């Protein structure tokens, strides 16, 4: 039997590197939050601000102080955006302290540091956004962080190495920094073309099962885009990428992604060109997808990246739900760790899959009433037409298929396992990213706070 074809894609190729777009300057430094002395404070400034920004955040009912403050600040700079988009002049990330579940005192700490950064950056406190990561229930060492900001005044750089330092400063349990970049030619404001950079850095390898957010990520660009347009692009991209990433099934209190556009590349306003806006959107999605895959591959204790592509869905929402169910299954994750081609665990996950919540469905493009009706519904599949492939080997097509189990097991030990499923119902497609479940994950999380 023929294996299923890879899912179609029109995304551009991605460079796994931090490329700081024009219009920004950055640095990563040590503020003494981490006992190890590693980089733990990342700062990004807009050179001729403010810049347009769109954001997605955790939907946890216990959001961190940084999330609470960011929504307030975005709403202050663009009230119509209701905390989803606005204008920004400076951004900061503190690593080693989540500042979550710290009450009003933790929020006051976050506001104090925003005011301090605003002073150094020459902007207003409401145009400062923040991210934090680390142990929940701990407060930021405000004086140490503020002193670190004072110490680095005048040390910012506009080169790629500075953005790479930001990626390093974001890390907590990440074993390596994560970065991605795409360059795309768009119409220039003065005629001809302009080269626009879209580049992102991200962290997060545990407590990863996002819902309308990523873990922590800056995606910066020098394109010229209005905040509302950025938001319309970002929300469905997140639904197709970071929302489809799962390491351990737990959603963080701090999840944040910021998509920021400086407009410094000299490109024409994207609102005026549908084709150019679509090309820019593909570049943003390519960066988001790459970062999602890097995060899943570096899941705490992980040895193997799991990529699941699903076709044949009644619609894309069904296909995405099935793919996410597969990569989220602890049984499947354990089988992948043992290089066991136990396709029954894939069938089990698909058979139990349910469509995402209304907010995610609406963000992905469904009308609100349709999203509410579809939310949480079982994924439609045709058991007689269901097909499952592992590493390009068909293992099930309505009935079990014969295959070389030893040879397939050997192919599953190469660092990435690709699973393809066809639901046999329609034209919907979706993909999801996860990782295997290892003893190292249990060990790391049994000792995390001690």
């Amino acid at each position: 039997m023929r294996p299923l074809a890879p899912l179609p894609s029109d995304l551009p190729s991605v460079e796994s590197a931090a490329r700081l777009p024009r219009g920004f300057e950055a640095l990563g430094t040590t503020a003494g939050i981490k006992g190890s002395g590693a980089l733990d404070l990342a700062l990004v400034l807009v050179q001729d601000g403010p810049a347009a920004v769109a954001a997605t955040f955790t939907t946890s009912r216990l959001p961190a102080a940084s999330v609470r403050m960011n929504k307030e600040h975005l709403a202050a700079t663009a009230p119509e955006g209701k905390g989803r988009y606005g204008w920004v002049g400076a951004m900061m990330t503190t690593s080693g302290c989540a500042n979550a579940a710290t009450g009003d005192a933790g929020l006051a700490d976050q506001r104090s540091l925003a005011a301090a950064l605003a002073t150094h950056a020459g902007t207003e406190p409401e145009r400062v956004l923040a991210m934090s990561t680390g142990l929940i229930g701990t407060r930021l060492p405000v004086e140490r962080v503020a002193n670190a900001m004072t110490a680095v005044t005048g040390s910012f750089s506009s080169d790629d190495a500075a953005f790479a330092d930001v990626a390093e400063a974001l890390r907590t349990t990440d074993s390596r920094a994560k970065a991605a970049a795409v360059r795309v030619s768009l119409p220039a404001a003065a005629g001809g073309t302009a080269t626009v950079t879209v580049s992102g850095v991200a962290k997060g390898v545990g407590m990863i099962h996002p819902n309308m957010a990523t873990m922590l990520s800056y995606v910066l660009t020098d394109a010229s885009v209005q905040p509302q347009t950025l938001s319309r692009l970002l929300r469905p991209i997140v639904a197709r990428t970071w929302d489809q990433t799962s390491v351990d099934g737990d959603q963080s209190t701090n999840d944040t992604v910021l998509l920021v556009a400086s407009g410094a590349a000299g490109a024409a306003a994207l609102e005026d060109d549908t084709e150019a806006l679509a090309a820019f959107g593909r570049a943003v999605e390519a960066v988001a997808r790459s970062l999602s895959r890097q995060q899943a591959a570096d899941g705490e204790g992980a040895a193997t990246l799991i990529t699941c592509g699903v076709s044949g869905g009644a619609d894309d929402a069904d296909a995405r739900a099935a793919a996410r169910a597969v990569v989220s299954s602890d049984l499947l994750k354990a089988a992948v760790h043992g290089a066991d081609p136990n396709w029954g665990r894939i069938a089990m996950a698909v058979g139990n899959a349910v469509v995402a919540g209304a907010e995610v469905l609406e963000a992905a493009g469904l009308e609100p009433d349709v999203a509410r009706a579809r939310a949480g519904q079982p994924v439609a599949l045709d058991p007689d037409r269901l097909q499952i492939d592992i590493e390009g080997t068909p293992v099930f097509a309505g009935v079990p298929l014969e295959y070389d189990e030893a040879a397939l097991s050997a192919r599953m030990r190469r660092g990435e396992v690709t699973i393809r499923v066809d639901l046999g119902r329609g034209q919907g497609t979706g993909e999801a990213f996860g990782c295997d479940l290892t003893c190292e994950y249990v060990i790391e999380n049994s000792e995390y706070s001690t």
Side-chain angles (χ1 to χ4, degrees), residues 19-21 24 44 51-56 88 91 131 163 166 170 178-182 197-202 214 216-223 230 234 237-238 241-242 256-262 280-281 283-292 295:
R19 303 297 183 201
L20 189 62
F24 299 97
V44 178
V53 59
T56 58
V88 64
M91 294 158 281
M131 297 189 285
F163 200 28
V166 168
L170 297 182
K178 293 151 187 71
V182 170
T197 299
V198 179
S199 186
V201 297
T214 177
L216 295 184
S217 180
Y218 292 108
V219 180
L220 307 181
T221 180
D222 43 22
L230 287 177
L234 179 63
I237 287 172
V238 169
T241 56
W242 278 300
T256 302
V257 58
L258 301 176
L259 173 59
V260 189
S262 70
F280 173 72
V284 174
E285 184 158 355
V287 168
R289 182 180 184 273
S290 175
L291 293 173
S292 299
Q295 288 172 298

Side-chain angles (χ1 to χ4, degrees), residues 351-431:
N352 289 322
V354 296
V355 177
E359 185 175 2
V360 172
L361 295 178
E362 188 176 344
L366 294 186
E367 293 297 323
D369 57 340
V370 177
R372 287 191 295 270
R374 292 290 311 284
Q377 294 298 306
V379 167
L381 61 88
D382 184 340
D384 294 329
R385 299 178 64 187
L386 179 68
Q387 182 172 338
I388 300 172
D389 295 1
I390 302 175
E391 281 295 290
T393 298
V395 294
F396 179 85
V399 295
L401 301 176
E402 293 186 3
Y403 61 94
D404 187 331
E405 186 172 334
L408 181 51
S409 177
R411 289 199 296 276
M412 293 176 68
R413 300 179 186 276
R414 298 175 179 173
E416 179 177 359
V417 169
T418 301
I419 296 168
R420 275 286 282 114
V421 175
D422 191 277
L423 301 175
R425 287 298 299 266
Q427 301 302 311
T429 61
E431 61 180 352

Side-chain angles (χ1 to χ4, degrees), residues 68-69 72-73 99 104 106-116 125:
R68 294 168 63 192
M69 185 192 75
E72 293 175 355
H73 285 188
N99 196 18
D104 290 340
L107 182 57
D109 292 342
Q110 203 74 65
R111 288 170 174 161
S112 173
L113 289 174

Side-chain angles (χ1 to χ4, degrees), residues 87-163:
W87 299 92
V88 64
M91 294 158 281
M92 63 180 294
T93 299
T94 47
S95 177
C97 169
N99 196 18
T102 51
D104 290 340
L107 182 57
D109 292 342
Q110 203 74 65
R111 288 170 174 161
S112 173
L113 289 174
L117 180 56
T119 298
H120 291 301
T123 189
E124 302 167 8
E126 292 77 13
R127 288 180 174 171
V128 173
L129 300 178
M131 297 189 285
S132 55
T133 176
L135 187 65
I136 292 172
T138 57
R139 287 177 57 186
L140 289 166
V142 172
E143 186 175 354
R144 272 182 277 167
V145 176
N147 288 341
M149 289 183 193
T150 301
V152 298
T153 300
S155 301
F156 289 83
S157 173
S158 297
D159 61 21
D160 295 340
F163 200 28

